[in-house]
């Protein structure tokens, strides 16, 4: 990416070639920033990292990865453990942890046939950092080439830094900063004539909060538009799973991510490593019932031999 080059929905700020930032890795062993990378912390070396929480992996997140791929191998830098540190009420993930690689792999056609790789930062390790200290650690510890962030991105202690400060600090440390405009929610769904009240910072952009709201309303068509794919609910199969000829019943405790609202869902598909067939799904307060539309879809061994099932909601 050349200095000053701009893209349609992207404001580009570049400072490649700036010298004067000396690399110092003496403190990496005892205070590694990436929790799923080795001692050398070289997993994102020379790469472009997209910054965010990336809970839903929705189309706005995909847009960040897409722009990162225009300047180099794309990486996602996710911050984990925020709820525990900040005392937030627990919420199940929108995407099951075991399903995230599948979703990211599906983004390859948008990312120049490169699959974005995700690495995690323990929020407790960066919570007290000022905006400047945070960018300094990205530069010195991770030795990245640049960052991508949304125009509403906040960072640093008590979210004191914004996108403009991110650009300024990246320039100071010899990094490129790509600020991407928000992907707006064009569907703008309402329920019973009332538009969704998301939060005070909502400006109509696609967000994980908006996805959660749509799931809670059971509006799966809307969820699919926000995610850019069908929502997949992952279930852990255990001894509490009841299997009949064309029906599977599991307790809700088997769910590994956020389900839609209680109710009947007709146009679903059951998957494991492969496709098992179309089904209808009934979610209630304590169980989830999967009824196959083809009674020959489930063999006696097809469920016993798997540890997880996935339901995709049409």
């Amino acid at each position: 990416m050349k200095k000053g080059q701009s893209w349609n929905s992207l404001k580009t700020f570049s400072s490649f070639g700036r010298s004067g930032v000396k690399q110092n890795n003496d403190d990496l062993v005892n205070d590694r920033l990436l929790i799923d990378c080795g001692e050398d912390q070289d997993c994102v070396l020379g790469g472009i990292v997209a910054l965010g929480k990336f809970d839903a992996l929705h189309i706005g997140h995909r847009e960040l990865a897409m722009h990162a791929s225009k300047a180099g191998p794309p990486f996602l830098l996710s911050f984990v453990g925020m709820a525990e540190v900040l005392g937030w009420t627990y919420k199940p993930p929108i995407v099951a942890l075991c399903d995230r690689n599948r979703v990211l792999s599906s983004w390859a056609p948008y990312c120049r046939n490169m699959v974005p790789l995700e690495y995690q930062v323990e929020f407790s390790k960066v919570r007290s950092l000022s905006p400047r200290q945070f960018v300094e650690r990205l530069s010195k510890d991770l030795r990245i080439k640049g960052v991508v962030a949304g125009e509403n991105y906040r960072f640093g202690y008590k979210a004191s830094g914004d996108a403009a400060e991110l650009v300024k600090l990246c320039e100071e440390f010899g990094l490129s900063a790509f600020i991407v405009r928000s992907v707006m929610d064009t569907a703008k769904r309402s329920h019973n004539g009332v538009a969704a009240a998301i939060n005070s910072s909502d400006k109509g952009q696609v967000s994980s909060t908006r996805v959660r709201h749509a799931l809670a309303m059971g509006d799966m068509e809307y969820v699919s538009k926000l995610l850019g794919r069908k929502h997949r609910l992952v279930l852990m199969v255990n001894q509490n799973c009841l299997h009949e000829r064309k029906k599977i019943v599991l307790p809700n405790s088997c769910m590994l991510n956020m389900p839609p609202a209680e109710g009947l869902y007709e146009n679903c598909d059951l998957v494991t490593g492969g496709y098992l067939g179309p089904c209808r799904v009934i979610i209630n307060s304590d169980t989830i019932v999967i009824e196959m539309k083809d009674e020959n879809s489930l063999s006696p061994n097809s469920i016993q031999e798997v540890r997880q099932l996935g339901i995709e909601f049409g």
Side-chain angles (χ1 to χ4, degrees), residues 243-245 276 295-305:
H243 174 215
E244 300 175 2
R245 185 174 64 175
L276 291 181
E295 64 181 24
N296 297 317
S297 298
L298 294 179
S299 66
N301 295 328
S302 60
I303 301 303
Q304 296 174 1
E305 294 177 353

Side-chain angles (χ1 to χ4, degrees), residues 8 28 68 77 91 184 211 250 259 265 282 287 302:
N8 253 350
L28 284 178
L77 211 59
K91 296 178 182 178
M184 304 307 290
V211 174
L250 299 104
Y265 298 89
I282 303 168
T287 62
S302 60

Side-chain angles (χ1 to χ4, degrees), residues 246-262:
K246 55 180 298 187
K247 181 187 292 187
I248 305 169
V249 182
L250 299 104
N252 285 353
S253 59
C254 291
M255 298 179 185
L256 299 184
N257 57 313
M258 183 176 177
E262 294 180 16

Side-chain angles (χ1 to χ4, degrees), residues 234-236 238 240 250-256 285-288:
V234 180
L235 306 164
M236 181 67 68
N238 57 31
N240 296 318
L250 299 104
N252 285 353
S253 59
C254 291
M255 298 179 185
L256 299 184
S285 60
D286 51 11
T287 62
I288 179 166

Side-chain angles (χ1 to χ4, degrees), residues 63-97:
E63 189 81 0
L64 295 180
M66 182 181 74
H67 284 300
S69 72
K70 293 180 179 181
F75 299 97
L76 303 187
L77 211 59
S78 300
F79 300 91
V80 297
M82 295 183 70
E84 294 82 355
V85 172
L86 299 176
W88 295 346
T89 302
Y90 170 78
K91 296 178 182 178
I94 295 174
V95 182
L97 181 62

